[in-house]
Amino acid sequence: MRVRTFLVVVCLLSGPSAAFAQQTSDVQAGVIGGLTLFQPSASDNTGVIDFSTKSGWAAGIFITTRPRGGVSLQQELQFMVRRTELAQPGVLFKQRYTSVHVPVFVRISTAPRGTTSLHILAGPAFSFPTGVEQTTIVGGSVSTEDHDGEA
């Protein structure tokens, strides 16, 4: 829970100062965010388990180094929330997964700096699960389990 609170505070404090990409002589920085769709897949001895697709969200910050020959390095820090549901006869399971993602991209520009251009991003991303919350609804009874740091 503390990790989530810290990341939300960092994103909120950095948002007003870098609401859109800021250019200096050496770096660009900004805020990124958007919606996500998540549908995990699983199976057991009775067949495929059917999870419902639910929307989530992602928000974060990025820093891009100055391009040299059209190539630069872009690092990101993203906080992501993904949700899903699983309905069984008489039982509804709702899950909420939270994680921190750290992509490190090589960014290739297709036009000179200072003009609008297409960028190609490629590179690894590292994910760190920060928690899973599961809500179980059976009849009128609701129970919630929070598993911080597990996924």
Side-chain angles (χ1 to χ4, degrees):
M1 184 66 173
R2 285 175 269 166
V3 172
R4 281 185 256 165
T5 304
F6 173 74
L7 289 173
V8 168
V9 169
V10 167
C11 289
L12 289 175
L13 291 177
S14 66
S17 64
F20 32 86
Q22 300 292 320
Q23 289 188 354
T24 65
S25 60
D26 293 327
V27 298
Q28 289 181 322
V31 175
I32 55 176
L35 298 176
T36 65
L37 292 177
F38 179 58
Q39 183 173 12
S41 62
S43 62
D44 61 9
N45 58 1
T46 62
V48 175
I49 300 172
D50 187 24
F51 289 94
S52 297
T53 302
K54 291 291 183 181
S55 63
W57 58 271
I61 57 175
F62 72 89
I63 297 174
T64 303
T65 61
R66 182 176 188 186
R68 291 182 174 44
V71 177
S72 59
L73 187 64
Q74 179 170 319
Q75 303 92 12
E76 298 179 3
L77 178 63
Q78 301 175 4
F79 181 73
M80 187 175 293
V81 175
R82 298 172 293 175
R83 301 179 312 130
T84 188
E85 285 184 2
L86 171 64
Q88 297 291 329
V91 182
L92 176 63
F93 299 100
K94 295 182 177 186
Q95 287 116 6
R96 182 177 181 263
Y97 302 90
T98 56
S99 55
V100 173
H101 298 271
V102 184
V104 180
F105 296 126
V106 172
R107 179 177 165 168
I108 301 169
S109 300
T110 59
R113 186 173 186 188
T115 61
T116 303
S117 67
L118 176 69
H119 295 92
I120 300 168
L121 301 170
F126 306 95
S127 295
F128 305 96
T130 57
V132 176
E133 179 184 278
Q134 178 170 310
T135 302
T136 306
I137 303 169
V138 180
S141 174
V142 177
S143 66
T144 301
E145 297 176 36
D146 195 6
H147 305 280
D148 281 341
E150 299 176 20

